[in-house]
Amino acid sequence: MKVYGTAVTGVVLLMLGVLSSITVGAADIDVSMVMKSFFAMDSSKEQTIIRTIRLPRALVGALVGANLAVAGALMQAITRNSLASPQVFGVNAGASFFIVSAFVFFPTLSSVSLVCLAFAGAAVAGLLVYSFASGGGMTQVKLALAGMAVHFFLSSLTQGMIIFNEQAKDVLYWLVGSINGKTWTHVNLILPWSLSGLLIAAVFSRSVSILVLGENMAQGLGQKVQRIRILAGILVIILAGSSVAVAGPVGFVGLIVPHIARKLVGGDYRRIIPFSALFGAVLLVYADVLARFIAYPFESPVGIVTAIIGAPFFLYLARRGRNIKQ
C-alpha cells in the first residue's frame, strides 16, 4: 500500500510540476488558459507560448530527469557504489567533450549525429574509468577516484576548446545544463531513446536486483553477470548520452534520485528503477521552475539548481562512506 501511495504522490507532484512549468515565466499564464489550450485551442499569444515553448520544455525536463535518474540507479547497482552517477563517473563529461568537439570541428552535423557522438563520448569515458579503476583490483574508492579524474580531465579539455574557439562560445550556457528554449524538435529527438531505454531498464530490473546481491549469488541463481553489466552499461550510455545531447551535462540528478527512491520503496530494483524515473522527472521539472527565479525575468540554467541541491548531498554521502543498502 505504501508503494501505491508513493506512486500516486509522485504522479501528482509531476503533474503539478508540469503545470507550474507551463504557467511560470516572464509571461504570466493562468491555469484556466492552460486548460483552454488543450481543449479549446486558438491562436492567442498565450496559447502559442504554451504549445510551442512551455509544454515542450516541461516534457524535455521530465524526460531528461527520468533518464539521468535511471542511469544513476543502474550505475549504483552494477558498481555497488553509492556515489556512482553519470556525472561522478565522467559519462556526462565524455558526452559533452564529444559534442563540443563536433561544434568546433564539424559545425554542420545534424542533431541525430550529435546524439550518436554523445553516445560515443559517454562510452569512451566509461571505458576509461573502468580501465583505470580495474588495475590491481577494482574497489569502490578507486572507481570514484578514477571517475572524478576522468570527469575533470575531459571537462578541462572541453573548457579549453571553448576558450580558444569562438565557434564554441555559444555552448557555454548549454554546458551548465539547460532546458531553456527546447522545442518539439528536441522532444522528438530524445523521446525514442528515453522510451526504449527506460522500458528495457524496467524489464531488466529483476536481473539488476539479483546482481546487487553479489556476483557469486547472481551466478548461483543462473544470471549471466558479465552480460548484465554490459547491457546495463549500454543503457547508461543511451539514457545519459541522449540527455546530454539535448540538455547538456545536468549534474547530480543521477546521484540524488536513486537514494530517494531506495528510501521510499526499498532496495528492490524492480521498484527503484521506475520510481527513479518518476522522481527524476519530478526533480528536474521543479528545478527548472526554481531556476527561473534566480535572475528573474531572465532565464538561468537548470544545472545551477541541481548543483546547489546535489553538492551537499554528495558531500553527505562521501562523509557517511556507506555502500548501497542491499
Side-chain angles (χ1 to χ4, degrees), residues 250-276:
V250 180
F252 294 106
V253 176
L255 175 68
I256 299 170
V257 177
H259 288 278
I260 295 174
R262 198 174 293 112
K263 187 74 173 177
L264 292 173
V265 298
D268 189 341
Y269 274 79
R270 288 174 293 183
R271 295 177 178 177
I272 289 175
I273 286 177
F275 276 90
S276 291

Side-chain angles (χ1 to χ4, degrees), residues 184-198:
W184 289 109
T185 300
H186 298 98
V187 175
N188 294 331
L189 184 63
I190 193 175
L191 186 60
W193 300 108
S194 296
L195 291 181
S196 58
L198 294 173

